[in-house]
Amino acid sequence: MTNYYKPVNFILKNNRAIPQIGFGTWQASDEDTYNSVLLAIESGYRHIDTAYIYKNEEAVGRAIKDSLIPREEIFLTTKLWNTFHTNPRAGLEKSLRNLGVDYIDLYLMHHPVALNPDYGVDRPRNADGTYEVLKEWTFVKTYHLCQEFLANGKIKALGVCNFTLKNLKILLNDPATKYIPDVVQNEIHPLLPQHELLKFCSSLDIVVEAFSPLGSTNSPLFHLKEIVEMAEKYKVTSAQILLSWGVWRRTVILPKSVTGSRIKMNFEGLVVLEDEDGNKLDLLTEKYGTKRFVDPQYTANVYKED
Ligand code: A2P
């Protein structure tokens, strides 16, 4: 008989609960976002993940209000966009306004990259097509400015996204870093398992969140032999196996879907993997190598360790 996983909360360093299964909203139109967030909340999700740059914060906020679930029962994450690094307060205020809320449960730096805000566009480019990165600025400075927001209650927890272990250590080793991030959110799935990062974060009680846990749009992971065979063994789909592996290794998972049946399945249909099977998926990169599906290609040092 299939042993289904029962969704649990983790406790952040700030003692607040974070549901292990969150609902991802990247690449969803306003209408899809509104409908899918509403359905997700009806289906039991209490953790919603959005970002300024997804351009759907307003729809997320409206769906949360219309769900009639009290605000304090929803764990809401949004992210500081890259053109706000030198003035994160402005980024936070915009997100609070878009979402129509008084506070954010978790505020994340979206990328360790500051983009030039002077042109008023989200993705400023140089003449050669590369991103116009503010080379004199550092993500460490941005983080230090964000630390201040914790004091006035507008954010309840702080973290970073798209951070390599190397960048995380740079941040933590800076003497002006007073607050260890509550969360690191990265692309994580069996072909990008980030074992070292998980081990390091666990030693500091930093919760790790997996975005694109299914391998993003048209995921080739669904068709990997080992995943398909495991799905047959547990009598579930490949998607359920991928997400079940994410909860088995104690990451928060943030599957995105705008499809009703999948929204429900991604919450109710996860199984408790046997350790032997979890360990098998842990080692898939030995056969297939690593694969990153989401790379905005800002600069070489965002994802490369050297
Ligand atoms: P859709 O939104 O059309 O339902 P990720 O969370 O890794 O970024 O993956 C999101 C992609 O996976 C979307 O294309 C989404 O499609 C699809 N998806 C989400 N849940 C499932 C599922 N249970 N089975 C198959 N595909 C899914």
Side-chain angles (χ1 to χ4, degrees), residues 26-27 211-219 222 237 239-240 243 254-259 261-263 265-266:
W26 184 42
Q27 292 181 316
F211 77 75
S212 290
L214 295 166
S216 201
T217 315
N218 297 324
S219 174
F222 292 153
T237 64
Q240 285 161 284
L243 299 179
L254 302 167
K256 169 265 174 185
S257 177
V258 296
T259 312
S261 55
R262 292 173 174 173
I263 292 172
M265 184 197 283
N266 296 346

